[in-house]
Amino acid sequence: MRFLSAKLETWKVRAHDAKRTVRAFFRNPLSVAGLIIACGFFILGFIAPCITPYPDDVTGSIHTKQRLQAPSREHLFGTDDVGRDVYSRVIYGTRISLQIALVIVGVATCIGVPLGLVAGSSGGVIEEVIMRFTDIFLAVPGIVLAVTIVSALGPGIINVMVALSIVWWPGYVRLIHGKSKSLREEVFVEASTAIGSSKARIMFRHILPNCFSIVVVKMSMDMGMAILSAAGLGFIGIGAQPPSPEWGAMISGGRWYLPTWWWYAVFPGLAIWLTVLGFNLLGDGLRDVLDPKQRGRY
Amino acid sequence: MLHYLAKRLFLLIFTLLGLSVVIFVVSHIAPGDPARLAAGPFATQEMVEHLKEELGLNKSLPEQYGIFLTQLLKGDLGRSIRTRRPVREDLARFFPATLELVLVSLSFAVLTGILLGVLSAVHQNRWIDHLSRLISISGLGLPAFWLALMLQLLFVLKLDLLPGGGRIDMIVHAPTSITRLFLIDSLLTGNWVAFRSALQHIILPALSLSFPALASIIRISRADVLDTLRQDFVTTARAKGLVEKLVIWKHVLKNSLISTVTMIGLRFGWMLGGTILVETVFDWPGVGLYVVTSATHSDFQPIMGAALLIGLSFAIANLIVDLSYSVLDPRIGYE
């Protein structure tokens, strides 16, 4: 009975904390803007096939009579060099960009978090081996290594996802390694060690849950950065290939039609900017409420 | 200090060796036969076999890595299929252009970023603070290549104020080569025509490359200055009657620079990577454009060489950043 009431009390405290966190998050207008933009893009990505006015234009259809038309009621963002509706392609591009970002961030988290946790919690040789291995991948800017990998594998969305996942995980190892190393010195971990808890229990029951908030913050910020990187690879021609409506590849196609047919390159760029901005604001807001030491710093 | 330096240099060599392994492995996951690719589409089977023998591609993987490493240590980075020149020669030709672009971008981002960050913190919640925060928030999400295109659209195609590509005007002679950085060389030789042309050509690429770095430097320096302003020594400095400008620019700034300097090191690496995108837009004849052109021609040796060179430059920049900590804060020792 006493055990149950203690459990109930813990849950009450947790619920109270969660409420306070949510309230603090919604007090910051920039965080709310970030949440709205990020959710908006998720919804848009999800319902893209239903709201795209010209579904055929997201694939390889050609309408030579309608090429390079300025924005109008029929074509909100104008048409491209083969007459496809830019609005339909930008909307559908949301889906592709979000898919790419989710895969990259998901894979990086699944690889980076366990490695960082093991390195930070165990110390010694294991820590040295994991961290030095991680340093190798951090020795060169991510985009350079990604270009190297995609060049070896060949262009395409799948290869971009593979390449960016390979260069993305070390950031998570560094982050979790630092956090779990500092948590290892905390009293509650010492207490758990003193009562004879196993290393695995300390790692997964005490250290991992305390790393949760920083992982969530990093994931939300990385969503934007992953979209940006994938668009960059698309722009230089080794990412998504035509006729895929990927934003970077669309800008690459539209750059040759500036300044007269500006809409072709401008709207996909605005979509990237807004999405990345949304995820950055969301990440900032989450950091403010989940890591109170950082609150109000930025 | 010397012990620390030796340790860092050892780690640097170890990391670069590791990077060479990663790049070697990546080069061997490429689908298709590298000898066939190097020999070209019209090569006979006999020629491909001969090339395989010559390049050591019929040996085991560890043996091949041994050959690759030996050549690397001799400075041999292979030959580009596209330019038909040794990669080392190509990189020596293109790297100064990239370095010049990165240094100009970084200098602009650091000077403007710190200035706006400090002003933003000192005048918190005033218009300059709002402006700086707007730049920093919007700048972080701005794709550098798209910004480059928009700047090109406005300043080159619409207003016709600046040149749209290249490093110097076709009709202007490049300055006598001393450092191979056009701006410095033209200054040293007093070649003002070349200086003016090189400056005009670098403005837009540097601005595009520096904007994301500018955004993060504003954020970090604002946050650090705000923290430092709350310290006791600042109150003491003010209490003893120091002029506010002196308090801010001498005492507060110096004590707020540690995180900013770390950020500068990281951003240097990011900019080296970012040149891949920006150089493509502005046709800037640097390593970034060389990598992209090689990637689109399936020419892998130059990409490997460039990745190693960029890794080395990044590692050196980070070492310089780490060593500068003790200059900024003498309490930091190197044990």
Side-chain angles (χ1 to χ4, degrees), chain B residues 110 114 118 220-221 224-225 228 252-264 325 328:
Chain B
V110 169
I114 291 178
V118 173
I220 204 111
S221 55
D224 284 346
V225 170
T228 314
V252 174
L253 184 60
K254 197 180 171 193
N255 285 285
S256 311
L257 280 178
I258 294 279
S259 321
T260 312
V261 168
T262 309
M263 179 59 76
I264 293 168
Y325 288 155
L328 289 169

Side-chain angles (χ1 to χ4, degrees), chain A residues 2 15 38 44 53 59-60 67 82 96 109 114 152-153 177 214 235 259 265:
Chain A
R2 272 176 68 186
L44 213 60
T59 54
R67 67 193 297 266
V82 288
I96 294 175
T109 310
L153 295 174
H177 167 252
I214 54 166
F235 176 74

Side-chain angles (χ1 to χ4, degrees), chain A residues 59-114:
Chain A
T59 54
S61 64
I62 295 171
H63 319 282
T64 37
K65 280 185 184 165
Q66 291 175 2
R67 67 193 297 266
L68 299 166
Q69 283 184 9
S72 62
R73 269 193 182 174
E74 287 76 37
H75 302 285
L76 282 178
F77 294 171
T79 60
D80 66 10
D81 55 334
V82 288
R84 291 174 303 204
D85 181 45
V86 175
Y87 174 71
S88 300
R89 291 175 63 76
V90 167
I91 295 283
Y92 214 86
T94 313
R95 198 181 173 89
I96 294 175
S97 295
L98 287 175
Q99 273 172 358
I100 295 175
L102 280 173
V103 169
I104 295 165
V105 175
V107 171
T109 310
C110 291
I111 299 173
V113 171

Side-chain angles (χ1 to χ4, degrees), chain B residues 5-58:
Chain B
L5 194 66
K7 197 176 149 191
R8 281 299 308 262
L9 283 174
F10 172 74
L11 272 179
L12 192 148
I13 293 166
F14 173 81
T15 310
L16 287 174
L17 265 178
L19 185 64
S20 73
V21 175
V22 170
I23 288 172
F24 175 78
V25 171
V26 167
S27 71
H28 281 73
I29 55 170
D33 185 355
R36 158 74 52 199
L37 209 67
F42 306 110
T44 60
Q45 190 57 35
E46 208 174 283
M47 285 159 81
V48 174
E49 290 302 322
H50 179 72
L51 198 67
K52 235 182 215 177
E53 182 80 34
E54 199 182 299
L55 296 172
L57 291 170
N58 45 7

Side-chain angles (χ1 to χ4, degrees), chain B residues 11 18 30 40 53 73 77 115-116 131-132 138 147 180 183 186 213 215-216 225 233 238 240 259 291 328:
Chain B
L11 272 179
E53 182 80 34
L73 292 173
L77 295 165
L115 180 73
L116 284 176
L131 177 74
S132 305
S138 55
L147 174 66
R180 303 179 80 176
L183 285 174
S186 53
S216 49
V225 170
F233 74 87
R238 282 173 174 156
K240 69 180 188 185
S259 321
V291 167
L328 289 169

Side-chain angles (χ1 to χ4, degrees), chain A residues 199-246:
Chain A
K199 270 193 173 175
R201 185 177 164 80
I202 292 171
M203 224 190 288
F204 293 107
R205 185 76 186 84
H206 299 295
I207 296 181
L208 184 61
N210 282 293
C211 294
F212 181 70
S213 57
I214 54 166
V215 173
V216 170
V217 173
K218 184 158 172 63
M219 283 175 82
S220 62
M221 293 221 170
D222 279 356
M223 281 293 292
M225 289 302 131
I227 289 173
L228 208 56
S229 304
L233 295 180
F235 176 74
I236 57 174
I238 58 169
Q241 296 298 298
S244 169
E246 195 273 328

